[in-house]
Amino acid sequence: FQPSLSSSKPQRRGKTIRQCDLEVHGEESQSLTIHIIGASEEAELWGKMNLPHASCEDMYDAYAEALLELASRCSFISTIKLIFVGPNCPSENKHEVRMIHTSKDEPEDEDNLSACTKKRKRPSDKSCKVVLQTYCSTYDKNASKKLPKPDIVVFFNPGFTCPDYKWAEALDVCLKQDSSRRIPFLATTNTEMEGVSDLQYLHQNGYIDDLPAMVADIVNDGVGEHDADIVDYNDKHAMFFGENPNSGSRVRQSGNMANDLFVKNRWIYGGLFSSPNEQSDEGGNGKTKKDKRESSQTKSKTKAKNSALM
């Protein structure tokens, strides 16, 4: 998993409309299921999902609009399912459907199409159904049994290292979603150091096999000393880290510190979770990754208990 950016001609804005069904184009049509873990009503769902915006009718249209480029490039995808899961989602689960239409006269840049894509029949007027669902629950074993398996999981500003949040169970579920493959994931943070801390947490607890090269360099040499020209991805373990090209530009002020300014979701990282079938870590000490995670979690609980007694 490594992002590849290629130049292409600007795409026209597609049209989103309300519909309940979709005629699948051909036998190769597929669905893409994305789990947004830790979603909340006030953040990912725009505050009761009806916050007005000049460019979109509602939150559902906004997400459908954001997926236009993906639907245009991957014409074999007929359905995209966005499943928002979190204890702060609406108590009444929501289910909405939108349709996005790509421009039928949009020219294709043949140089940027993969050989596999060129072989597929690309309909001149492609429709893609976007299904948006909410599920009010923690991301645990019971929830995962009720939801379709994800093709990718997404975290918006999760705060893995924040002591107020407990992510161990949700991350364990991510590892065990599909024993036949490693699950891809994406996560955003507001600051660079939050991203570095999150990646360290995932690596130290055995959820990822290694750090992106740039993060490993920061951890070893410090922010001020690290090589600014180093690549932000790790080919061996399929990880990357860098600035989010799709974040907004609005600068916000922290409620805790007056001089703490940030841009929401300014940094992004991702890759593949560790394989649930791997038995030992790279250190060769015989410990399984589960042992490594449980040991780290036990230490954290002990540290918190000792702090409370002081």
Side-chain angles (χ1 to χ4, degrees):
F1 183 89
Q2 177 183 327
S4 58
L5 302 179
S6 57
S7 61
S8 60
K9 297 179 180 180
Q11 298 202 11
R12 293 185 181 180
R13 172 170 292 198
K15 184 179 181 182
T16 64
I17 60 174
R18 297 171 183 262
Q19 281 195 11
C20 297
D21 202 2
L22 171 71
E23 182 179 351
V24 177
H25 295 282
E27 296 180 353
E28 293 184 333
S29 296
Q30 301 177 20
S31 65
L32 175 67
T33 301
I34 304 172
H35 287 187
I36 298 90
I37 303 176
S40 68
E41 189 170 21
E42 298 301 320
E44 290 82 359
L45 301 176
W46 286 23
K48 297 185 179 179
M49 297 169 289
N50 55 12
L51 184 68
H53 194 279
S55 63
C56 301
E57 180 182 345
D58 55 23
M59 179 271 297
Y60 303 111
D61 283 340
Y63 276 106
E65 182 77 15
L67 291 167
L68 172 62
E69 182 177 358
L70 175 63
S72 300
R73 287 179 174 271
C74 304
S75 62
F76 52 91
I77 296 179
S78 63
T79 305
I80 301 175
K81 299 177 182 178
L82 294 181
I83 303 178
F84 299 84
V85 186
N88 294 321
C89 282
S91 56
E92 181 180 348
N93 295 335
K94 306 292 184 181
H95 181 101
E96 287 280 338
V97 176
R98 295 291 186 274
M99 297 294 296
I100 52 179
H101 299 281
T102 59
S103 301
K104 63 181 179 180
D105 57 348
E106 179 66 27
E108 293 177 351
D109 187 347
E110 292 292 332
D111 295 335
N112 290 325
L113 294 179
S114 65
C116 183
T117 303
K118 289 178 181 179
K119 291 180 180 179
R120 292 189 176 98
K121 294 181 180 179
R122 298 174 65 87
S124 59
D125 190 5
K126 168 70 169 54
S127 296
C128 180
K129 179 167 66 173
V130 179
V131 180
L132 302 101
Q133 296 175 278
T134 67
Y135 190 73
C136 184
S137 170
T138 55
Y139 199 73
D140 53 23
K141 293 180 180 179
N142 291 331
S144 66
K145 292 177 181 179
K146 299 175 183 178
L147 301 173
K149 288 186 179 297
D151 296 300
I152 183 171
V153 297
V154 176
F155 305 85
F156 287 106
N157 198 29
F160 289 133
T161 59
C162 179
D164 295 333
Y165 306 144
K166 301 185 185 301
W167 280 105
E169 185 174 20
L171 291 169
D172 286 341
V173 170
C174 290
L175 289 187
K176 301 172 184 177
Q177 284 282 2
D178 190 338
S179 60
S180 65
R181 67 185 182 96
R182 298 163 65 189
I183 300 296
F185 73 95
L186 291 171
T188 65
T189 60
N190 294 340
T191 67
E192 182 181 21
M193 289 313 301
E194 284 177 310
V196 172
S197 297
D198 280 358
L199 283 162
Q200 280 187 278
Y201 170 86
L202 294 174
H203 183 228
Q204 290 171 356
N205 288 279
Y207 295 113
I208 57 176
D209 290 337
D210 210 341
L211 296 170
M214 186 175 76
V215 176
D217 193 53
I218 291 175
V219 171
N220 293 331
D221 300 335
V223 176
E225 301 295 331
H226 87 94
D227 185 358
D229 295 327
I230 197 169
V231 293
D232 64 353
Y233 57 84
N234 184 314
D235 281 329
K236 181 180 178 182
H237 294 293
M239 296 293 302
F240 77 95
F241 174 70
E243 292 187 40
N244 182 3
N246 296 308
S247 69
S249 57
R250 177 184 172 186
V251 179
R252 302 167 187 266
Q253 184 179 39
S254 169
N256 299 322
M257 299 178 63
N259 63 345
D260 184 7
L261 304 178
F262 65 92
V263 175
K264 272 193 173 182
N265 304 311
R266 188 69 186 93
W267 294 84
I268 187 170
Y269 61 89
L272 299 172
F273 279 118
S274 296
S275 170
N277 296 323
E278 293 180 15
Q279 295 301 312
S280 61
D281 60 19
E282 293 182 355
N285 56 14
K287 289 185 177 181
T288 66
K289 291 185 176 180
K290 181 179 179 182
D291 293 336
K292 188 177 179 181
R293 290 193 296 274
E294 290 178 347
S295 175
S296 178
Q297 291 162 14
T298 301
K299 288 180 180 179
S300 298
K301 291 179 180 178
T302 303
K303 184 177 180 181
K305 184 177 180 180
N306 292 337
S307 299
L309 295 174
M310 291 178 65

